[in-house]
Amino acid sequence: MSIYGDYIKSVIRTVPDWPQPGINFRDITPLLQNSSAFRKLIDSFVHRYQDMELDAIAAIDARGFIIGAPVAYELGCSFVPVRKKGKLPFRTISETYTLEYGKSEVELHSDAFRHGDRILLMDDLIATGGTMLAAAKLITRSGGHVVETATIIDLPEIGGSSRIREAGFGVFAVCS
Ligand code: PRP
Ligand code: ADE
C-alpha cells in the first residue's frame, strides 16, 4: 500500500448493486475529477517504479489506460495497450479468461515487446484477477518480463491478488 492509500481510498466512490445486484462497484471517477488526488495517485506509482529500469508500461483496456499512460510519460518508457478482443489492427496474440459471469478475451500486438523487456502491467482494479492474469500471461508469451502488476484498488476478499501471486507475479496496490 502507498503512503497515500487511505486518502486515495477516501476519494473512490462505492456504488452498490451496479452493474447488477450484489456488486459493490468501485467508481474511480471522483478520484479522476480531483486533480490533487490524481496527481498523488500517479506520483505513488512513479515513486515506486522510478529506479526499476522499466522498458514499458502495459495497461489494460480501458480504465488501466487512464493510469498507465501518465506513468509511462513520467518514467520515460514506452506504453503498450492490452486491448479487449477485436480492437488491435495488426497481428495479435490473445488469452481468454473467466469473469464472474461468462468469458472475455484480451489481445496484444505480437511485436509489442522485445525479448527480455522489463514490463510493468497496470490496471485500475483487481477483483477475480482474471483480467490481470490473462494480460500477464500474454506479455510472458510475447517474450516480455512482467516486473510487477500494479493497480489502484485490490479487493482481497475476492481472491484475485492471491491468484496472481500464486501464478508467480508480484502485485502492488495503492489501496484495498
Ligand atoms: C474491470 C477492471 C479490471 C477488471 C477487474 O474492467 O477495470 O480490468 O474489471 O476484474 P477481474 O479482476 O475480475 O478480472 P472491465 O472489464 O469492466 O472494463 P473497463 O475497464 O473497460 O471498464
Ligand atoms: N471490475 C470488476 N469488479 C469491479 C468492481 N467491484 N468495481 C469496479 N470495477 C470492477
Side-chain angles (χ1 to χ4, degrees), residues 99-142:
L99 296 166
E100 279 166 291
Y101 306 99
K103 283 189 165 185
S104 194
E105 194 167 343
V106 282
E107 291 184 333
L108 182 68
H109 272 151
S110 56
D111 65 349
F113 304 116
R114 293 161 301 185
H115 188 78
D117 271 356
R118 291 171 57 76
I119 314 301
L120 172 66
L121 174 59
M122 304 192 75
D123 201 358
D124 69 315
L125 179 139
I126 297 172
T128 67
T131 311
M132 195 76 106
L133 203 45
K137 286 179 183 167
L138 266 187
I139 293 167
T140 306
R141 274 173 56 198
S142 76

Side-chain angles (χ1 to χ4, degrees), residues 23-26 63 100 125 127 155:
I23 302 290
N24 285 322
F25 191 85
R26 302 305 202 278
R63 283 175 268 159
E100 279 166 291
L125 179 139
L155 302 178

